[in-house]
Amino acid sequence: MNGYIRRIIRKRNRLHKKAKRSNLPEDWAKFRYQRNHVTGEVRRVKTEFYQQIDHEINENNFTEKKWWKLVKTNILNSKQNKSFIPPLVDEQGKILYDAIDKANALNNYFTAQSNLENSNEDPPFIPANDFELETPRFKESEIRDIITSLTVGKASGPDCINHKILKSCCTSLANPLTNLFNFLLENSVFPDQWKEAHVTPILKKGTPSSINNYRPISLLSCIGKIFERCLYKYIYNFFLDHKILTPLQSGFIKNDSTVYQLLDIYDQICIALDEGKEVRSVYFDISKAFDRVWHRGLLSKLHAVGIRGNIHRILESYLSNRQQSVVIDGVSSNSSTIHAGVPQGSVLGPLLFVAYINDLVNDVTSNIRLFADDTSLYLIIEDPASSQRILNLDLCTISKWASTWKVAFNPNKTTSITFSRKQNPSFFQLTFNNTALSEVSSHKHLGVYLQKNCNWTDHVNYIISKISKTVDHFRIFKYRLSRHSLETIYKSFILPLFDYADVL
């Protein structure tokens, strides 16, 4: 539609230039006729185009993915293609233009993150629990429910079998998949074909030309992920029944969220400030948290909490011999073996990561909160000297834990903030991994800017900057779309920015 409009406008401009070059009255009259005709056609086509957009926005037969794409492309005028990778600069400073060169460079970088030092050494001894997860037996009804709940439109893995095919053949596939999954569980095997991943590099932030600014998202076999869902259900319920996961963890936990954790933290800070006290907080940064999970350490922790027998062996098979290749513009890199980490894009990956980092809270005296790999530490200051000693001891404890379990904290990106309403707030130096922590006046934690004086200026300015960009795109559509469509777009793109964590 936009291409048709552009062609009409180009034709009008050519006629206009031709008329200017000619002094003949009849040519000018012909030009005016053609100009008016083209202008009318442009208006008509634009009106039809926006009427079609307005109709499609309010249709109910659109999938969520298609609806968001429609609005972002035609209303927000978003041309950004997340799959587009610009020329990259490798570690030697060479500029890479070809898709195959970029794919191989990114794959080498992602694979290098999984190379841990002394990864074959035995993990520390952990006392085992008395209870144990029994080997389940999957039912056909479970498999059928999982298949029918799949979302159509998700990308397929290397086997090219997508959710639409699985849902269309649900009746025929439920029984053979049930028998297959039970056979695999009895023999403690996770097939190698389901461990192959096509990796899509996603820009986190920073310069798009830097390889270090990308993170890998794995496209895995859809059938393999159905098997993961079956295992996830029993493992997660086992964790809940025996209260294995710490209540201080909010990430990937049902009925918990970032807002609940922020409420808990901010409430305690406000209570302390109302009592005339101060609060010292530390916000940690873990480098490549999901990509550097030590497999032997993870399996040791799972065995200690009761994941044993066939389930333990199949998880060992699930983590071992994982292959990945980066795909850019339809071109695939060489395949590489991953020696550590849990795949980002898998079903079991988040749960295994939460189980791996679960014991970080042990032996920490200060208040500590986890949201996946976002770790925060805070302590109400009763006495500055005592508080400094306690916090530095806790930082040393966390540093030792990280060294033991091969988790890489980045002390240069770990920050500290003192919440206080005093004119002369107390200050004492904190040290983490032999690095003095930088003191900041505000910090963005779980999407909210927390300021040292508990004001909301920084966060309000942050919201305004995000909303103003979106509103500018909508402004030209106020007379072109119906009110219902405008309200739908507002509730989808702008209102959530106001509503997120507004209870704070």
Side-chain angles (χ1 to χ4, degrees):
M1 185 69 70
N2 289 333
Y4 178 66
I5 295 174
R6 286 195 295 270
R7 287 195 298 272
I8 294 177
I9 293 175
R10 285 197 296 268
K11 180 180 179 181
R12 181 186 65 183
N13 293 338
R14 286 196 301 269
L15 289 172
H16 182 52
K17 290 178 181 178
K18 182 177 180 181
K20 279 188 173 182
R21 291 194 297 267
S22 175
N23 297 322
L24 298 177
E26 57 270 20
D27 288 344
W28 177 247
K30 185 185 294 185
F31 163 74
R32 285 192 302 170
Y33 172 78
Q34 293 290 348
R35 179 197 62 190
N36 295 340
H37 173 70
V38 171
T39 301
E41 283 293 298
V42 169
R43 290 173 179 171
R44 182 184 65 80
V45 172
K46 279 187 175 181
T47 301
E48 292 179 354
F49 173 72
Y50 289 117
Q51 286 177 349
Q52 179 67 20
I53 293 296
D54 188 78
H55 174 71
E56 291 178 348
I57 287 175
N58 296 292
E59 273 189 353
N60 294 324
N61 58 351
F62 260 27
T63 63
E64 291 182 9
K65 185 176 181 180
K66 287 185 177 179
W67 190 91
W68 285 103
K69 183 178 180 180
L70 169 75
V71 176
K72 286 181 178 180
T73 303
N74 297 293
I75 307 300
L76 289 179
N77 197 27
S78 176
K79 304 293 184 182
Q80 182 182 8
N81 184 2
K82 291 186 177 180
S83 63
F84 172 73
I85 305 296
L88 299 175
V89 181
D90 63 10
E91 297 179 352
Q92 288 75 32
K94 181 182 177 182
I95 301 178
L96 308 176
Y97 296 97
D98 293 339
I100 186 63
D101 293 335
K102 291 188 287 185
N104 282 320
L106 284 166
N107 192 49
N108 292 337
Y109 170 71
F110 294 148
T111 305
Q113 306 306 312
S114 70
N115 296 328
L116 305 180
E117 295 183 2
N118 303 320
S119 60
N120 292 323
E121 67 181 12
D122 293 330
F125 172 76
I126 306 175
N129 293 331
D130 296 332
F131 38 81
E132 180 179 336
L133 173 61
E134 297 181 0
T135 303
R137 180 113 186 137
F138 303 131
K139 301 178 182 178
E140 184 176 335
S141 58
E142 294 179 78
I143 310 302
R144 187 182 297 109
D145 290 342
I146 292 175
I147 296 176
T148 54
S149 67
L150 296 175
T151 303
V152 176
K154 296 287 187 179
S156 60
D159 57 9
C160 298
I161 300 175
N162 58 34
H163 286 179
K164 186 175 182 179
I165 295 175
L166 295 173
K167 293 191 73 170
S168 301
C169 305
C170 177
T171 305
S172 302
L173 289 177
N175 180 261
L177 284 181
T178 304
N179 295 332
L180 173 63
F181 293 165
N182 284 320
F183 174 81
L184 295 175
L185 190 57
E186 290 172 3
N187 292 272
S188 305
V189 175
F190 197 94
D192 288 343
Q193 291 83 351
W194 295 350
K195 292 185 283 186
E196 296 177 5
H198 282 171
V199 171
T200 301
I202 301 296
L203 180 67
K204 296 183 294 183
K205 57 183 179 180
T207 308
S209 60
S210 176
I211 293 177
N212 300 339
N213 292 332
Y214 289 87
R215 64 184 176 93
I217 297 297
S218 300
L219 295 179
L220 302 164
S221 167
C222 293
I223 298 178
K225 288 200 287 188
I226 294 176
F227 188 36
E228 288 186 54
R229 286 176 186 268
C230 297
L231 296 172
Y232 179 97
K233 172 185 175 182
Y234 288 94
I235 296 174
Y236 183 77
N237 289 337
F238 175 77
F239 285 167
L240 288 185
D241 293 341
H242 295 281
K243 299 180 180 180
I244 292 172
L245 298 178
T246 173
L248 304 177
Q249 171 68 264
S250 300
F252 309 115
I253 303 297
K254 294 180 180 178
N255 302 320
D256 207 339
S257 68
T258 56
V259 177
Y260 290 160
Q261 185 176 118
L262 286 167
L263 274 174
D264 179 33
I265 295 173
Y266 188 68
D267 180 58
Q268 295 190 49
I269 292 173
C270 289
I271 291 175
L273 267 58
D274 289 342
E275 295 175 352
K277 300 176 183 178
E278 298 173 306
V279 179
R280 186 69 177 271
S281 294
V282 179
Y283 300 96
F284 297 88
D285 180 83
I286 302 180
S287 302
K288 311 295 180 184
F290 283 79
D291 302 328
R292 296 180 61 84
V293 173
W294 182 26
H295 289 169
R296 296 196 67 178
L298 171 61
L299 292 169
S300 174
K301 291 183 177 184
L302 292 173
H303 185 274
V305 298
I307 306 298
R308 307 185 187 110
N310 286 4
I311 294 287
H312 188 272
R313 286 190 291 272
I314 204 168
L315 289 177
E316 184 176 3
S317 174
Y318 171 80
L319 294 170
S320 64
N321 195 33
R322 300 199 70 92
Q323 304 288 321
Q324 75 170 32
S325 57
V326 173
V327 178
I328 298 177
D329 299 334
V331 178
S332 178
S333 70
N334 299 324
S335 183
S336 300
T337 303
I338 301 301
H339 303 288
V342 292
Q344 298 186 55
S346 64
V347 177
L348 281 173
L351 180 61
L352 295 178
F353 178 80
V354 168
Y356 185 67
I357 204 173
N358 189 60
D359 61 338
L360 172 62
V361 302
N362 296 347
D363 303 321
V364 174
T365 306
S366 306
N367 300 293
I368 186 171
R369 296 292 183 272
L370 306 175
F371 192 92
D373 60 329
D374 286 318
T375 307
S376 60
L377 190 74
Y378 64 95
L379 180 67
I380 298 174
I381 301 175
E382 303 285 352
D383 173 62
S386 176
S387 298
Q388 180 182 20
R389 180 180 58 83
I390 293 172
L391 283 170
N392 276 317
L393 283 174
D394 287 337
L395 291 172
C396 183
T397 300
I398 293 175
S399 179
K400 290 179 179 178
W401 178 92
S403 176
T404 301
W405 298 105
K406 306 186 188 307
V407 176
F409 282 90
N410 189 342
N412 295 320
K413 292 185 179 180
T414 299
T415 58
S416 172
I417 182 172
T418 303
F419 297 97
S420 176
R421 288 185 181 146
K422 296 180 179 179
Q423 291 185 351
N424 296 313
S426 60
F427 174 78
F428 45 83
Q429 188 63 61
L430 298 178
T431 304
F432 181 56
N433 283 355
N434 300 319
T435 302
L437 297 184
S438 58
E439 182 78 4
V440 296
S441 59
S442 68
H443 177 79
K444 186 181 179 183
H445 183 57
L446 303 180
V448 174
Y449 278 93
L450 302 175
Q451 289 180 244
K452 64 179 182 180
N453 56 3
C454 285
N455 289 342
W456 294 103
T457 307
D458 290 354
H459 188 65
V460 169
N461 291 334
Y462 168 70
I463 293 176
I464 290 173
S465 66
K466 291 192 69 175
I467 290 177
S468 60
K469 297 176 184 177
T470 309
V471 170
D472 287 341
H473 289 289
F474 293 156
R475 198 183 305 277
I476 61 175
F477 296 96
K478 60 182 178 181
Y479 298 122
R480 295 176 175 175
L481 299 178
S482 65
R483 183 174 183 84
H484 183 267
S485 296
L486 292 172
E487 287 180 351
T488 302
I489 295 172
Y490 167 77
K491 292 176 181 178
S492 302
F493 287 90
I494 298 177
L495 187 59
L497 299 176
F498 282 115
D499 285 349
Y500 176 69
D502 58 348
V503 291
L504 287 175

